Amino acid sequence: MKIKPVFKIPETVKEDTNKYQQEVERFLAGEIDPVRFKGHRVPMGIYGQRGAKEEEQYMVRVRAPGGVVTVEQLKILNQLSKEYGSDYLHLTTRQDVQIHQVDIEDTSQILFDLLEVGLSPRGGGGNTVRNIANASRAGVASDELFDTTPHALSLTEYLIKTRSSFNLPRKYKIAFSSTPEDEGLATINDLGFIAQEKNGKKGFKVYAAGGMGTASEVGFLIEEFITEDKIFHVAEAIKRFFDEYGDRSNKHKARLRFVKKRLGEEEFKIKYKEYLADVLAENIETHQINYYQLPREEVNTELEVTADYLKEEKVTGYYSVELRPENGDLKADELDQILEIELLATKEVDLRTTNRQSLLIRGVRAEQVEELLEEIRAINPELLAKNNSTVPIACKGASTCRLGLCLSPNLAKEIRNKLASLADSLQNLLPQIYISGCPNACGQHLIGKIGLEGKAKRFNGKLAPHYSLLLGGNIADGNSKYGERVIDLPAKRIPEFLASLAEELATEEDYNPAQFNQYLEAGGKERIKELAAEFIDIPTYEKESDLYQDWGQDEDFSLAGRGPGECGVGVMDIIKLDLDTAQKNYEQAVVEDDADQLYQATVNAARALLIVKGVDTQKDRVIIKEFKDKFIDGRLVATDYEEVVDAAIDYRLGDIDDLFAYQEEVKGLITRIEKLFNSLNAKLEFTIEIEQATEDDSDSTDKEVADLRGVKCPMNFVKAKVAIAPLEPGETIDIYLDAGEPIANVPQSLNSEGHEILDKEQVGDGYYILTVKKSS
């Protein structure tokens, strides 16, 4: 029996890596456009991201199955981050390891170097079987039934060797836990296994259809007990079920939990059992469960555990030490020094990544603990968190993620600094804090007893970064639940609020930090909400402009440039806010005969949907200009309303006394914008019919024009599609494109969607005019 867990890369993954290299070469040669190339790179775990460079940069998300990683593997990962990336490794809440800010031409070599040490990012993104998670203390936890690490590794090998695992309706997430506390989060994954024993046999309780993000759901029980050898059959059955019933037409409703919503729990279980019966009847070739035995012999020495970074293991005299780098970012120079520590270099210990964005050093003998801690403190004392409550878990947010709304890592840093400044007696009073920069829950804010979800809100005509405060989340077999939203807080006031909350909890008689949720149920939730309400006021920009900026930023908070394919949920919130404000302005104008309110109703209605077109501005004249260009000229709004918005500007300039002559037209404009808003699909595209032109416009022979000069790939293709969408079949449009990649890629992409390229005219050396006929 092996003494360490072993994961073997399937041959199919090696073959796919070779194919990926060919696709990179084709992309760099201009033979395939960015949209098609995305279909190759994302399932290989290569994501585009925001970066400091002007040109596109990427992140490589590397699988660490079950959190298992070796010293040798970490050395290679760290070397790659220094050679090709941003000099740090990011530990994710799914136990992956990410290399950030990589150039696309370097990704093939990175993948080949990773294969040399048994690692791959294959399935790190896209509609694939994602990294199979596992409790980080599986194998050493004192209260576990058995170690679930061999099962996580074996199931990974079984699933990723089959290419059907990389073409699913949406991501497929699986997790294992070795105890009922469910450290591996099995109860909130698409498929979750919790260790059980029955009649002396090892096995699992099975949950399905859980997940965080859009329409979050806790998983529900589909098997009270299966023997351990049936994990392959269950995972295969759910995969096939998902493959057939998942909604491929709408990725925002494609996860397994939406299948359960459509069918209901009972019908879901019936269908699952049918697929399972088929799989069992096929006698599929499964995989050997690779058991191992950690080399542990009991020692007499025991230590008093007084800090969260130190945990006892089930073998007497052994301990685990947890390193919690800020926001999960392990700096390259610090990791180099850590990996040179003699205890790690001699391979006496084993390592795990955790869903707390940390690195767990396991198998440290009692007599080795103090020396190891001193060596770590000499590198960076902040890696050792005495109280986990002072170290928030946070996603990457808008710092690198294209989905991010707020800079969650920056908020986490400010919280950490603020809580660390409190008296020692206050630092352990709060539970673990979870932060996500948007509703997509990569920071797992929904499971936190205290969770924070990034959002944007508009005050006094300007956007300000905010977070929804969630309370009461919990994870446990049979008792998992998501937190409840109670109030929204300005980002800049959250650290002070949390410090005040710790001080408030210190005054509570008989308060026990370990029983925070019981405190909430006994009236604590309302008391916290009342305290939070003291921090929600937003003064005008002139009085306190800092509140309109995110942490670590000098410029004002903005969503400009974020639209389709990025922060869709947050965009919808902002649109709804502007629409509601426009409606309130209109109602007040009617009741009070207030011309200013009628003007504000017009401007807010015109602004509401501009963000879908990538425009976010506070200047009224720009709002009106962009609205006329994007919506009236784009035939999403009838030309009749041009007179209304022009009159609004005349009123603003003092050329007319009021807008009451246009009162009904303003009401009609708001109604039209609401209809457009309600027609938005998951891609933020309008699905409503275009407005009929007036008689004068109907006779116009002017050709539609879309000027996309200065817009880079692939956004120019996206904007070209947006420009074509309102046209009738057979109508034409002129699209202005830059030389180079834009004119090489966009025509090919539009042609592949059925549109006809009628002409391609070069205008000097700078740009081209592409004439396109919309497909019928």
Side-chain angles (χ1 to χ4, degrees), residues 66 104 108 119 149 174 191 220 231 308 421 425 456 560 687 731-732:
I104 196 64
S108 297
L119 293 172
T149 308
I174 302 171
L191 184 64
F220 76 107
I231 60 173
D308 288 344
S421 71
S425 60
T687 58
E731 289 187 332
T732 63

Side-chain angles (χ1 to χ4, degrees), residues 264-474:
E265 288 187 6
E266 289 307 311
E267 183 65 20
F268 184 100
K269 289 175 74 172
I270 290 170
K271 292 291 184 186
Y272 151 68
K273 291 289 188 180
E274 291 173 357
Y275 281 91
L276 180 61
D278 290 343
V279 171
L280 291 169
E282 288 177 24
N283 193 28
I284 62 171
E285 182 181 350
T286 58
H287 206 80
Q288 180 180 351
I289 298 176
N290 298 314
Y291 298 102
Y292 66 96
Q293 181 63 53
L294 294 172
R296 305 280 197 271
E297 294 182 3
E298 291 192 6
V299 293
N300 294 326
T301 308
E302 291 190 56
L303 304 174
E304 181 183 3
V305 176
T306 59
D308 288 344
Y309 57 72
L310 189 64
K311 292 285 191 298
E312 295 180 23
E313 296 184 354
K314 63 182 177 182
V315 178
T316 304
Y318 282 83
Y319 296 83
S320 297
V321 175
E322 186 171 10
L323 309 186
R324 295 199 61 184
E326 186 172 277
N327 300 320
D329 294 341
L330 265 173
K331 296 177 183 177
D333 59 339
E334 293 181 357
L335 183 54
D336 275 339
Q337 296 175 66
I338 291 168
L339 296 177
E340 290 303 317
I341 293 175
E342 184 177 358
L343 184 60
L344 275 71
T346 56
K347 305 177 187 177
E348 289 186 42
V349 297
D350 60 305
L351 305 175
R352 296 289 186 276
T353 56
T354 83
N355 55 25
R356 298 175 298 279
Q357 300 178 313
S358 63
L359 183 67
L360 195 65
I361 304 172
R362 312 179 345 155
V364 183
R365 296 197 306 273
E367 67 271 18
Q368 299 170 320
V369 168
E370 191 53 42
E371 182 179 353
L372 174 62
L373 295 178
E374 285 304 314
E375 290 179 290
I376 293 170
R377 289 189 185 105
I379 297 168
N380 181 358
E382 292 188 356
L383 291 170
L384 300 170
K386 183 177 181 180
N387 300 298
N388 281 335
S389 60
T390 64
V391 185
I393 291 169
C395 69
K396 294 301 289 182
S399 61
T400 61
C401 177
R402 289 176 170 175
L403 295 168
L405 289 170
C406 299
L407 288 164
S408 40
N410 295 9
L411 174 60
K413 180 177 182 178
E414 296 298 330
I415 291 173
R416 185 170 185 164
N417 292 341
K418 185 64 178 180
L419 297 183
S421 71
L422 300 178
D424 290 347
S425 60
L426 300 178
Q427 290 188 19
N428 68 342
L429 296 182
L430 297 177
Q432 176 70 67
I433 298 166
Y434 295 79
I435 309 173
S436 294
C438 77
N440 284 294
C442 294
Q444 301 182 336
H445 64 277
L446 290 165
I447 68 173
K449 292 175 173 58
I450 293 180
L452 296 164
E453 177 188 293
K455 65 189 305 181
K457 298 186 74 171
R458 200 183 295 279
F459 291 88
N460 309 305
K462 295 185 72 66
L463 289 177
H466 277 66
Y467 287 82
S468 292
L469 172 67
L470 291 84
L471 298 174
N474 192 65

Side-chain angles (χ1 to χ4, degrees), residues 171 196 200 261 332 334 339 347 349 378 416 491 518 545 599 653 728:
K171 63 188 77 170
Q196 303 282 301
K261 280 191 171 185
E334 293 181 357
L339 296 177
K347 305 177 187 177
V349 297
R416 185 170 185 164
Q518 290 90 323
S545 61
Y599 168 78
L653 295 174
E728 294 289 347

Side-chain angles (χ1 to χ4, degrees), residues 566-583:
E566 293 189 322
C567 51
V569 179
V571 169
M572 299 295 274
D573 289 342
I574 292 300
I575 296 170
K576 188 67 168 62
L577 175 65
D578 283 337
L579 265 176
D580 289 346
T581 303
Q583 186 62 43

